[in-house]
Amino acid sequence: MSGGSYINRPNRALTAYALVFLTVLYLPVLALPLFSFNESISVRFPLQGFTLQWYVDLWSRDSVLAALWNSVRVGVCVSLLATALGLLAARAITLRRLPGQNAIVAFAMLPLVIPGIIFGVALLILFSRIGVPLSLITVGFGHLVICLPFAVATLLPRFEGFDRSIEEASADLGENGWWTFWRVTFPMVLPGVVASLLLTFTISFDEFIITFFLSGYDATLPIYIWSQLRFPREFPSVLALSTLILAASFILVFTALWIGRIGLARPEEAEARKEGPA
Amino acid sequence: MTPGDGFISIRNVAKSYGAFRAIESISMEIGKGEFFSLLGASGCGKTTLLRMLAGFEDVSGGEIWIDGQEMSAVPPFRRPVNMVFQNYAIFPHMNVAENVGYGLRKLNLPKTQRREMVEEMLDLVRLAGYGGRKANELSGGQRQRVALARALILKPKVLLLDEPLGALDRQLREQMQVELRRLQRSIGITFVFVTHDQEEALTLSDRIAVMDGGAVLQVGSPADLYERPASRKVAGFIGTMNFLRARVAERANGRAHLDVEALGRLAVPAEATTLAAGSPAWIAIRPERFALSDAPPADGSYAVEASLELTTYLGERCRHVVRLAGHETRIAVSAPNARRHQPASLDLEKPVWLTWSEDAVIVLEEDRT
Amino acid sequence: MSPTLLFLLVGVAVPFLALLLISFWTRDGFGFDTTLTFANYERIWTEPIFGALLSRSLWISGVVTVATVLLCYPMAYYVAFHVHRHKMLWIILMTLPFWTSYLLRIFAWKVILGYEGVINASLLSLGWIAAPLEFLLYSPTAVIITLAHAWAAFAILPLYVSLEKIDRSLLEAAADLGDGPARRFFRITLPLSMPGVLSAFFLIFIPTTGDYITPALLGGPDGAMIGNLIQLQFGAVNNWPMGAALSIVLTLWIAAIGLVFLALSRILAQRAA
């Protein structure tokens, strides 16, 4: 697949389209940081002047810090649990090919294709019927349901690309099951595990649709922002807060996706290896 | 070698997956320091047998003994064998030195000694200086050497090789064959080598077990298998062979006389076959055991008239297809090009004479099916 | 598998059954009348407001889905066929915004589309318009733009994967046999990328039908969707059984449309083959 082949020869119109597409994809999101440094309290052009006042304000608000702390706690727990469950599922799915396997995988992916609101209200009903008060725990439970498909989807390729003979080679060289896991299996899936942790944390951290139905008195960060959106004069501080969250999310996810790809053969490399000298 | 005295002793070993019997009761003995090959087409059970030696497959019946120890209760990581996997199974997250040194952890050696051992192994497989390379930066031949070094560093009693040369191109394969043989001679470890390539097996092995359908057809040295195949299947599997239908006419005066399709009556020494008079049989003759000439031989050895149908020039030799006069039977003949321009002496138009000597004839039983 | 399966049962199947059950109850003051009845479903069937909101939701989601797939296809195609170096970086770049807070992305659109937002303010200052464009905010258009933007990643990824899988020699064979670029696209590339198109359809259409944040922030009265109504039942209106029944009806509609779409694509695929 060389760049100069007939099928892949450059297409200017398509390149231009791709650049416009990326711009439009990022512009709205970048509007938030832009206005967060604006002196004016109203969000409009022209910009009034540069200020860090809204960021400084955030620090003095206990409710923001409390919401942040809540989100972090939920996110950490959810990402750990979702990744652990995802590991178990991915290992089981790839280890033995059972009949009905596809159905199980589809079942695990179900939350991806069901409107979040339906999960939200269904869980709300369940919790209220069995008498579980709404709290950060119920929020975490809801997050776990929607994070699981992402954890499984991130970890599954790791195990699928996993050649059984790699573990056999370790056993052959004298390592028992425990050491084989620590010296071979775990290091090989580690990038997937890290990626899954980061991604599920981000999803939980940003989740609103389900959280809205399941949160009690303790607000997470998105819930707090939602409550502030009613007050136009709070816009600038919301913008500042959003900017911080966006920056954190970008860094986390970029790291996750970058780490997640380590060790998985990239299409170009696989191609090059096939064609290269033996 | 009598049963039971081998370094590796495989006794009535069977393997079944549910109702499917992959291997039915195989017994064989492999000697210490032997280069032993399991040869057969895919699905013949050779890889299953190898994996049972390594401990990756349970034995459904029978026993495997290695150096006087019964293996059924020994997990793979405690067996005195190491394996070179078909796809090499190089640990992708480790570099070459870490791969090679993988098995040393348990020995609790000081770091410097470990490094020395790894370097020594890399030297042995001619990869000195490659220790820092990543697994995915290696070519096919290099991966093979790493797999070899990794398996040999523990000085196993037996090295198992699962078609290790299958993924390499022809030139590299031949080069690796030479190196494998050199290695095996120099370290003296028993090699059990699985391959579907008969030429490779003949080149490398001290002895070969030819397998088919989960059973062993014949065990013997390359020359044994080539010159004295025990059955039509083995004869056909190894090298090229001409088969002709025959019947034992009589046994008399220390000779067995056979009526052979298209060739007429032949005599062979009585010990060439145990078949009784009247039994159907097959005659097998290698293409290179025939000779062609443009005139009938004067010395009265066996000869029949034939016509030349096709000649293929292969450099060191010519391959001819001849049709026996008055028959539909075609015979493959391989003749060395001992002199230049020799093929010109044979003419497609004129009749030729096909000659052979008595000891070229192999008598085989009708295959039981 | 078993712990994961168990969790899925508790986390997915059980709540769903609870939802189904309660949809056959009715509200009774602050509690529930637990006699099983079709009353909620009858109201949904007879009162036009429900049908109107439901069909608008499906309509908006349908437009969003088609628009997103159409807009994302060339992008996915570009990365699959014309990007040769740093492919992974491109994929990450295309999907990165998706991972950031949904709420914030919608908020960003509110900032852009608002009366004094980026677009109106810019156009006003350029003198191209005399008064702010009102249709930009609080309208179905705003909802559609925002949703299409928000769900782009769900179209790009499956489309990219299916396009990347296409063996380039198939296209070379088609060219060799006399097909020009356009024919090649319609006879080879598009049919072979249909699985990606199908996944994109499901991954966008289904979740967007139930969205309530975007309509609430950007939709205005004409842009409200069924999700807003469901949310109201669990909030201000406080009629949980009704909300549950609406959720079930929505789920059934999604399932029905999904099945029809799946069947149609199967038939088309068979005809093409």
Side-chain angles (χ1 to χ4, degrees), chain C residues 195-229:
Chain C
V197 175
L198 212 59
S199 314
F201 171 86
F202 283 110
L203 285 174
I204 297 171
F205 181 77
I206 295 173
T208 51
T209 50
D211 191 20
Y212 64 91
I213 314 178
T214 313
L217 280 176
L218 297 163
D222 293 333
M225 290 168 70
I226 192 75
N228 302 89
L229 197 59

Short mmCIF file of all heavy atoms in Angstrom, two decimals, chain C residues 195-229:
data_model
loop_
_atom_site.label_atom_id
_atom_site.label_comp_id
_atom_site.label_asym_id
_atom_site.label_seq_id
_atom_site.Cartn_x
_atom_site.Cartn_y
_atom_site.Cartn_z
N PRO C 195 -21.58 -2.55 5.95
CA PRO C 195 -21.62 -2.89 7.37
C PRO C 195 -21.32 -1.68 8.25
O PRO C 195 -21.95 -1.48 9.29
CB PRO C 195 -20.53 -3.95 7.52
CG PRO C 195 -20.40 -4.54 6.17
CD PRO C 195 -20.70 -3.45 5.19
N GLY C 196 -20.36 -0.86 7.82
CA GLY C 196 -20.02 0.35 8.58
C GLY C 196 -21.18 1.33 8.59
O GLY C 196 -21.49 1.93 9.62
N VAL C 197 -21.81 1.50 7.45
CA VAL C 197 -22.95 2.41 7.36
C VAL C 197 -24.05 1.94 8.30
O VAL C 197 -24.66 2.73 9.03
CB VAL C 197 -23.47 2.49 5.90
CG1 VAL C 197 -24.73 3.33 5.83
CG2 VAL C 197 -22.40 3.05 4.98
N LEU C 198 -24.27 0.64 8.29
CA LEU C 198 -25.32 0.06 9.14
C LEU C 198 -25.01 0.30 10.62
O LEU C 198 -25.88 0.74 11.38
CB LEU C 198 -25.38 -1.44 8.84
CG LEU C 198 -26.74 -2.10 8.98
CD1 LEU C 198 -27.74 -1.44 8.04
CD2 LEU C 198 -26.62 -3.59 8.67
N SER C 199 -23.76 0.02 11.03
CA SER C 199 -23.40 0.25 12.43
C SER C 199 -23.58 1.71 12.79
O SER C 199 -24.11 2.03 13.85
CB SER C 199 -21.94 -0.12 12.69
OG SER C 199 -21.63 -1.33 12.11
N ALA C 200 -23.14 2.59 11.89
CA ALA C 200 -23.27 4.02 12.17
C ALA C 200 -24.73 4.38 12.36
O ALA C 200 -25.09 5.13 13.28
CB ALA C 200 -22.66 4.83 11.02
N PHE C 201 -25.58 3.81 11.52
CA PHE C 201 -27.01 4.09 11.64
C PHE C 201 -27.51 3.74 13.04
O PHE C 201 -28.14 4.54 13.72
CB PHE C 201 -27.78 3.28 10.59
CG PHE C 201 -29.27 3.33 10.77
CD1 PHE C 201 -30.02 4.36 10.22
CD2 PHE C 201 -29.92 2.35 11.52
CE1 PHE C 201 -31.38 4.42 10.41
CE2 PHE C 201 -31.29 2.41 11.71
CZ PHE C 201 -32.03 3.44 11.15
N PHE C 202 -27.20 2.52 13.48
CA PHE C 202 -27.70 2.09 14.79
C PHE C 202 -27.08 2.90 15.92
O PHE C 202 -27.77 3.27 16.87
CB PHE C 202 -27.41 0.60 15.01
CG PHE C 202 -28.33 -0.27 14.25
CD1 PHE C 202 -27.89 -1.00 13.16
CD2 PHE C 202 -29.67 -0.35 14.59
CE1 PHE C 202 -28.76 -1.81 12.45
CE2 PHE C 202 -30.55 -1.15 13.88
CZ PHE C 202 -30.09 -1.88 12.80
N LEU C 203 -25.78 3.18 15.79
CA LEU C 203 -25.09 3.85 16.88
C LEU C 203 -25.51 5.31 17.03
O LEU C 203 -25.31 5.90 18.08
CB LEU C 203 -23.57 3.78 16.66
CG LEU C 203 -22.95 2.41 16.93
CD1 LEU C 203 -21.49 2.39 16.54
CD2 LEU C 203 -23.09 2.05 18.41
N ILE C 204 -26.08 5.89 15.99
CA ILE C 204 -26.51 7.28 16.09
C ILE C 204 -28.01 7.39 16.28
O ILE C 204 -28.49 8.08 17.17
CB ILE C 204 -26.08 8.07 14.84
CG1 ILE C 204 -24.55 8.08 14.73
CG2 ILE C 204 -26.59 9.50 14.90
CD1 ILE C 204 -24.07 8.63 13.44
N PHE C 205 -28.75 6.68 15.44
CA PHE C 205 -30.21 6.83 15.48
C PHE C 205 -30.77 6.47 16.85
O PHE C 205 -31.55 7.23 17.43
CB PHE C 205 -30.85 5.94 14.40
CG PHE C 205 -32.35 6.04 14.37
CD1 PHE C 205 -32.96 7.14 13.79
CD2 PHE C 205 -33.14 5.05 14.93
CE1 PHE C 205 -34.34 7.25 13.77
CE2 PHE C 205 -34.52 5.16 14.92
CZ PHE C 205 -35.12 6.25 14.33
N ILE C 206 -30.34 5.35 17.38
CA ILE C 206 -30.96 4.87 18.62
C ILE C 206 -30.73 5.80 19.80
O ILE C 206 -31.68 6.23 20.45
CB ILE C 206 -30.50 3.43 18.90
CG1 ILE C 206 -31.04 2.52 17.79
CG2 ILE C 206 -30.99 2.96 20.25
CD1 ILE C 206 -30.53 1.11 17.86
N PRO C 207 -29.48 6.14 20.10
CA PRO C 207 -29.31 6.99 21.28
C PRO C 207 -29.92 8.39 21.11
O PRO C 207 -30.43 8.96 22.08
CB PRO C 207 -27.79 7.09 21.45
CG PRO C 207 -27.23 6.00 20.63
CD PRO C 207 -28.18 5.76 19.52
N THR C 208 -29.89 8.93 19.90
CA THR C 208 -30.37 10.30 19.76
C THR C 208 -31.89 10.41 19.95
O THR C 208 -32.37 11.46 20.36
CB THR C 208 -30.00 10.89 18.38
OG1 THR C 208 -30.40 9.99 17.37
CG2 THR C 208 -28.52 11.17 18.28
N THR C 209 -32.62 9.34 19.65
CA THR C 209 -34.08 9.44 19.83
C THR C 209 -34.44 9.74 21.28
O THR C 209 -35.48 10.31 21.55
CB THR C 209 -34.78 8.13 19.43
OG1 THR C 209 -34.12 7.06 20.07
CG2 THR C 209 -34.79 7.94 17.94
N GLY C 210 -33.59 9.32 22.20
CA GLY C 210 -33.94 9.49 23.61
C GLY C 210 -33.29 10.70 24.25
O GLY C 210 -33.39 10.89 25.45
N ASP C 211 -32.61 11.51 23.45
CA ASP C 211 -31.90 12.65 24.03
C ASP C 211 -32.88 13.67 24.59
O ASP C 211 -33.96 13.88 24.06
CB ASP C 211 -31.02 13.31 22.97
CG ASP C 211 -30.07 14.30 23.59
OD1 ASP C 211 -29.82 14.20 24.81
OD2 ASP C 211 -29.59 15.20 22.88
N TYR C 212 -32.51 14.29 25.70
CA TYR C 212 -33.37 15.36 26.24
C TYR C 212 -32.59 16.62 26.57
O TYR C 212 -33.17 17.69 26.74
CB TYR C 212 -34.16 14.88 27.46
CG TYR C 212 -33.29 14.51 28.65
CD1 TYR C 212 -32.96 15.45 29.62
CD2 TYR C 212 -32.81 13.22 28.80
CE1 TYR C 212 -32.17 15.11 30.69
CE2 TYR C 212 -32.02 12.87 29.87
CZ TYR C 212 -31.70 13.82 30.82
OH TYR C 212 -30.91 13.48 31.89
N ILE C 213 -31.26 16.51 26.66
CA ILE C 213 -30.49 17.70 27.02
C ILE C 213 -30.46 18.68 25.87
O ILE C 213 -30.69 19.87 26.03
CB ILE C 213 -29.04 17.35 27.37
CG1 ILE C 213 -29.00 16.16 28.30
CG2 ILE C 213 -28.35 18.53 28.00
CD1 ILE C 213 -27.58 15.77 28.62
N THR C 214 -30.14 18.17 24.67
CA THR C 214 -30.03 19.05 23.52
C THR C 214 -31.34 19.79 23.26
O THR C 214 -31.33 21.02 23.14
CB THR C 214 -29.60 18.25 22.28
OG1 THR C 214 -28.50 17.43 22.65
CG2 THR C 214 -29.20 19.17 21.16
N PRO C 215 -32.48 19.08 23.20
CA PRO C 215 -33.73 19.82 23.00
C PRO C 215 -33.98 20.81 24.14
O PRO C 215 -34.48 21.91 23.90
CB PRO C 215 -34.80 18.74 22.99
CG PRO C 215 -34.10 17.47 22.76
CD PRO C 215 -32.70 17.64 23.21
N ALA C 216 -33.64 20.42 25.36
CA ALA C 216 -33.92 21.31 26.49
C ALA C 216 -33.09 22.58 26.40
O ALA C 216 -33.56 23.67 26.69
CB ALA C 216 -33.63 20.58 27.80
N LEU C 217 -31.84 22.45 25.96
CA LEU C 217 -30.96 23.62 25.92
C LEU C 217 -31.12 24.42 24.64
O LEU C 217 -30.93 25.63 24.62
CB LEU C 217 -29.50 23.20 26.08
CG LEU C 217 -29.00 22.91 27.49
CD1 LEU C 217 -27.57 22.41 27.46
CD2 LEU C 217 -29.11 24.15 28.36
N LEU C 218 -31.41 23.74 23.54
CA LEU C 218 -31.37 24.40 22.24
C LEU C 218 -32.67 24.31 21.46
O LEU C 218 -32.84 24.99 20.45
CB LEU C 218 -30.27 23.77 21.37
CG LEU C 218 -28.84 23.89 21.88
CD1 LEU C 218 -27.96 22.91 21.17
CD2 LEU C 218 -28.33 25.30 21.67
N GLY C 219 -33.58 23.45 21.89
CA GLY C 219 -34.73 23.14 21.05
C GLY C 219 -35.85 24.15 21.10
O GLY C 219 -36.59 24.33 20.13
N GLY C 220 -36.04 24.80 22.22
CA GLY C 220 -37.20 25.67 22.33
C GLY C 220 -38.48 24.84 22.30
O GLY C 220 -38.42 23.61 22.29
N PRO C 221 -39.63 25.50 22.26
CA PRO C 221 -40.89 24.76 22.29
C PRO C 221 -41.06 23.85 21.07
O PRO C 221 -41.62 22.76 21.18
CB PRO C 221 -41.95 25.86 22.30
CG PRO C 221 -41.25 27.12 21.93
CD PRO C 221 -39.81 26.95 22.26
N ASP C 222 -40.59 24.28 19.90
CA ASP C 222 -40.80 23.47 18.70
C ASP C 222 -39.76 22.36 18.55
O ASP C 222 -39.88 21.51 17.68
CB ASP C 222 -40.72 24.35 17.44
CG ASP C 222 -41.88 25.31 17.40
OD1 ASP C 222 -42.92 24.97 17.98
OD2 ASP C 222 -41.71 26.41 16.83
N GLY C 223 -38.76 22.42 19.39
CA GLY C 223 -37.68 21.44 19.23
C GLY C 223 -37.72 20.37 20.29
O GLY C 223 -36.81 19.54 20.35
N ALA C 224 -38.76 20.35 21.12
CA ALA C 224 -38.82 19.36 22.18
C ALA C 224 -38.96 17.96 21.60
O ALA C 224 -39.56 17.78 20.55
CB ALA C 224 -39.98 19.66 23.11
N MET C 225 -38.40 16.99 22.31
CA MET C 225 -38.46 15.61 21.84
C MET C 225 -39.07 14.74 22.92
O MET C 225 -39.33 15.18 24.04
CB MET C 225 -37.05 15.11 21.45
CG MET C 225 -36.53 15.78 20.18
SD MET C 225 -34.79 15.50 19.88
CE MET C 225 -34.75 13.77 19.44
N ILE C 226 -39.25 13.48 22.59
CA ILE C 226 -39.92 12.57 23.52
C ILE C 226 -39.15 12.44 24.82
O ILE C 226 -39.71 12.26 25.90
CB ILE C 226 -40.12 11.19 22.85
CG1 ILE C 226 -41.06 10.31 23.65
CG2 ILE C 226 -38.80 10.48 22.61
CD1 ILE C 226 -42.50 10.70 23.52
N GLY C 227 -37.82 12.58 24.74
CA GLY C 227 -37.00 12.49 25.94
C GLY C 227 -37.36 13.54 26.97
O GLY C 227 -37.37 13.28 28.18
N ASN C 228 -37.70 14.74 26.48
CA ASN C 228 -38.09 15.80 27.41
C ASN C 228 -39.37 15.42 28.16
O ASN C 228 -39.52 15.67 29.35
CB ASN C 228 -38.34 17.11 26.65
CG ASN C 228 -37.10 17.52 25.89
OD1 ASN C 228 -36.92 17.13 24.74
ND2 ASN C 228 -36.23 18.27 26.54
N LEU C 229 -40.28 14.79 27.41
CA LEU C 229 -41.55 14.39 28.01
C LEU C 229 -41.33 13.31 29.06
O LEU C 229 -41.90 13.35 30.16
CB LEU C 229 -42.47 13.87 26.90
CG LEU C 229 -43.96 13.79 27.26
CD1 LEU C 229 -44.47 15.16 27.65
CD2 LEU C 229 -44.74 13.26 26.07
#
